[in-house]
Amino acid sequence: MPLKSTPARRAAELRAELVRHERLYYVEGKPEISDKEYDTLFRELEQIEADHPELVTPDSPTQRVGDALPEGQGLETAEHAVPMLSIDSLFDADEVRDFEARVLRFLSLEDRDLAWVVEPKLDGVSIALIYEKGVLVRAITRGDGVQGEIVTANIKTVRNVPLVLDGSKLAVPDLLEVRGEVLMQLEKFKRFNARRVESGQEAFANPRNTAAGAIRRIDPAEVARYPLEFYYWSAPRIEGLRKGVAFETQTEINAALHKWGLPQTGLSRLVKGLDACLAYHDDLEAKRATLPYEADGVVAKLDRLDLRERLGTTSRATRWQYAHKFAAIEATSTLVAIEAMVGNTGRITPRAHVAPVEVGGVTVRHAGLHNADHVANLGVKIGDRLFLRRAGDVIPQILGVAKAATGAAPKDWKKSLPEELFDALGELRKGITWQWREPFEMPERCPACDTKLVNEGKYWRCPNPRCLPQI
């Protein structure tokens, strides 16, 4: 005679089933049920937990969205048990070969066919996830590498982050710290932005900044609206493994992380020798425009953990891995306005508004100009065609003038600008320089509060502490 189902038993069944389907959908890419069927199971669990609050568990799929922080309360911080160090950035094959030569010399090795794990250098936000007995207990941003902000409640809303590790294929350790990148896929970012615009909100500039802002919000329910994803790239702490289980390579760690249900891009490869590393870099760079997310290079790390231990670290970076960056992506556009922006310290910074142009799959509408001296050194004026580059594939930079505008301004030239740009800026907005081919001059008064600016060397600052942008 079958056992009679109780609310506790049914809740446990539903939790296990939902976790399994989340892994199949978000990690394996092999869903077995429709979204509607998933939602039906989810609502059934929600109802049981509402009727029996004592059955709610921290790792329940219904607990991905927690309570918001009290208004005005900042994020708590925590120190990283293992510092989140930087990775040396290399920009050409010669620099990569020099890196390999230093590694071989330090290790006193002649064998140049070392095994390397290569993978995309994702352009997202670095996060450390800490699991105890298989349950996610803390998520910390990189911060300054030594101390970061605790964003556990927000990371729990990221759908492909397991709240509890899968121990069915490999027993979970007592403690696991896994690090990776939180990001937004490009197509999902575009759709997310389109929905914002349709609802009358301002579109975000790029996926990385959007992800960075999202994970620091105080309301997890709002964060859950963002199509964030997580992909791991290291596990600096694995403690309390089952007896007889040990890892000697990054490849073995990656296989274990996957068994425990943690998501990876699927583009990681194990290669032999530096020529294979360079070939992987060139191949991925050629496919760059087809990648579903932003990547600005390739990371190569020694596979053997014992060699990493021997190489160690410097005060700022690891000696056993490097980032081989992709070539910066450039484009040209027309400078249509220069805006004097007020920062939160009161410093006034010029910002260039350009005719919208696609640069590396992202629409660029403005670029930083640092200060008035920088504008003068570039020699840029309204109407010029400019060379643009996304520095690190994120921050747009103006490299110089591609073609200076000549003669008088065309009749109604402002009205010939893209309508979205013209409407957004508005001809009467303070702090905007529109003059055709006239040199940029910093305003004498604050564009936000009309207070007289004070000069501080290369910079100008609004001294009014009640100025709205500073508040």
Side-chain angles (χ1 to χ4, degrees):
M1 183 175 179
L3 290 173
K4 183 179 179 181
S5 181
T6 64
R9 185 175 295 121
R10 181 56 180 160
E13 290 172 354
L14 287 167
R15 280 195 293 270
E17 189 70 0
L18 288 166
V19 167
R20 189 175 77 86
H21 286 303
E22 285 181 347
R23 172 167 180 166
L24 286 170
Y25 185 89
Y26 292 107
V27 180
E28 305 288 348
K30 301 174 182 177
E32 291 181 351
I33 61 175
S34 67
D35 290 348
K36 184 178 180 180
E37 289 171 309
Y38 177 92
D39 290 340
T40 299
L41 295 173
F42 190 90
R43 290 194 185 105
E44 183 184 352
L45 177 59
E46 276 188 318
Q47 188 60 55
I48 292 174
E49 292 180 343
D51 295 339
H52 305 276
E54 72 278 5
L55 298 179
V56 178
T57 62
D59 61 342
S60 173
T62 63
Q63 300 306 297
R64 284 194 177 274
V65 179
D67 295 329
L69 289 173
E71 193 65 35
Q73 179 176 324
L75 296 169
E76 294 183 15
T77 61
E79 189 171 333
H80 293 291
V82 178
M84 293 187 78
L85 299 176
S86 300
I87 303 176
D88 284 336
S89 292
L90 311 177
F91 294 91
D92 58 44
D94 288 340
E95 290 186 349
V96 173
R97 295 191 188 283
D98 287 344
F99 181 92
E100 181 204 37
R102 290 196 300 273
V103 166
L104 294 173
R105 191 163 53 246
F106 189 95
L107 296 173
S108 299
L109 295 177
E110 295 183 3
D111 180 12
R112 299 180 65 87
D113 287 332
L114 294 174
W116 300 82
V117 173
V118 289
E119 60 197 18
K121 185 179 182 299
L122 302 176
D123 192 11
V125 183
S126 297
I127 293 288
L129 307 182
I130 300 167
Y131 290 84
E132 293 179 359
K133 303 293 185 182
V135 177
L136 178 63
V137 296
R138 181 169 287 186
I140 310 173
T141 65
R142 182 182 187 277
D144 61 4
V146 175
Q147 188 164 286
E149 293 174 311
I150 300 173
V151 290
T152 314
N154 289 342
I155 290 300
K156 282 185 174 182
T157 71
V158 180
R159 302 297 298 183
N160 70 343
V161 170
L163 301 181
V164 58
L165 299 178
D166 180 0
S168 63
K169 298 175 183 176
L170 179 66
V172 301
D174 292 339
L175 184 142
L176 170 69
E177 179 177 345
V178 60
R179 293 175 176 176
E181 217 76 1
V182 173
L183 50 78
M184 298 173 70
Q185 290 196 24
L186 292 168
E187 281 302 317
K188 292 180 180 180
F189 172 71
K190 289 179 181 177
R191 292 197 295 270
F192 181 69
N193 251 350
R195 289 195 296 270
R196 286 182 60 84
V197 172
E198 286 173 5
S199 64
Q201 297 174 289
E202 185 178 351
F204 288 121
N206 59 64
R208 186 197 180 283
N209 289 358
T210 305
I215 63 171
R216 297 189 71 258
R217 297 182 73 105
I218 63 172
D219 186 359
E222 180 63 26
V223 181
R225 301 175 188 274
Y226 290 68
L228 300 174
E229 299 180 10
F230 171 84
Y231 295 100
Y232 71 80
W233 36 254
S234 78
R237 289 195 294 160
I238 306 177
E239 300 173 6
L241 285 167
R242 189 181 63 190
K243 188 176 180 180
V245 177
F247 301 125
E248 296 181 353
T249 65
Q250 180 70 48
T251 302
E252 292 171 353
I253 290 176
N254 285 354
L257 293 175
H258 187 71
K259 288 177 182 177
W260 290 328
L262 289 153
Q264 219 263 357
T265 62
L267 293 174
S268 176
R269 299 287 183 269
L270 176 65
V271 300
K272 286 287 189 73
L274 210 65
D275 286 342
C277 291
L278 294 172
Y280 176 88
H281 168 275
D282 294 347
D283 180 62
L284 200 66
E285 185 169 27
K287 298 175 181 175
R288 183 183 194 177
T290 65
L291 294 177
Y293 32 67
E294 290 192 322
D296 59 1
V298 164
V299 174
K301 56 189 79 172
L302 280 175
D303 192 38
R304 282 175 50 181
L305 305 185
D306 62 327
L307 296 183
R308 296 186 188 183
E309 189 71 24
R310 288 171 58 188
L311 285 162
T313 67
T314 66
S315 60
R316 59 165 295 276
T318 50
R319 289 194 176 102
W320 43 264
Q321 65 180 339
Y322 66 84
H324 187 180
K325 304 298 285 290
F326 293 149
I329 298 178
E330 299 180 6
T332 59
S333 185
T334 301
L335 178 63
V336 296
I338 297 178
E339 177 183 10
M341 297 187 64
V342 187
N344 57 12
T345 64
R347 179 177 289 180
I348 312 299
T349 305
R351 181 169 75 160
H353 288 271
V354 300
V357 60
E358 288 286 320
V359 185
V362 174
T363 300
V364 171
R365 292 180 171 85
H366 47 75
L369 286 169
H370 307 302
N371 54 53
D373 287 351
H374 182 64
V375 180
N377 291 336
L378 285 171
V380 296
K381 298 182 177 67
I382 307 300
D384 287 347
R385 291 287 292 171
L386 306 174
F387 288 116
L388 292 174
R389 177 175 64 193
R390 289 178 62 212
D393 285 353
V394 177
I395 305 167
Q397 288 182 342
I398 294 175
L399 301 181
V401 177
K403 184 179 180 182
T406 57
K411 186 178 180 181
D412 295 329
W413 71 277
K414 294 178 195 174
K415 291 293 185 182
S416 69
L417 299 176
E419 186 175 345
E420 57 186 298
L421 181 67
F422 187 80
D423 289 345
L425 292 178
E427 195 167 359
L428 300 178
R429 182 174 172 182
K430 290 183 179 180
I432 295 288
T433 298
W434 292 94
Q435 290 84 355
W436 182 267
R437 291 294 296 155
E438 288 297 315
F440 171 74
E441 292 185 3
M442 195 68 76
E444 294 182 358
R445 310 190 73 82
C446 175
C449 68
D450 205 37
T451 301
K452 185 174 178 59
L453 300 180
V454 296
N455 180 244
E456 296 179 344
K458 293 183 178 181
Y459 300 97
W460 293 82
R461 186 176 63 84
C462 172
N464 178 13
R466 294 183 176 82
C467 180
L468 189 58
Q470 297 184 62
I471 297 173

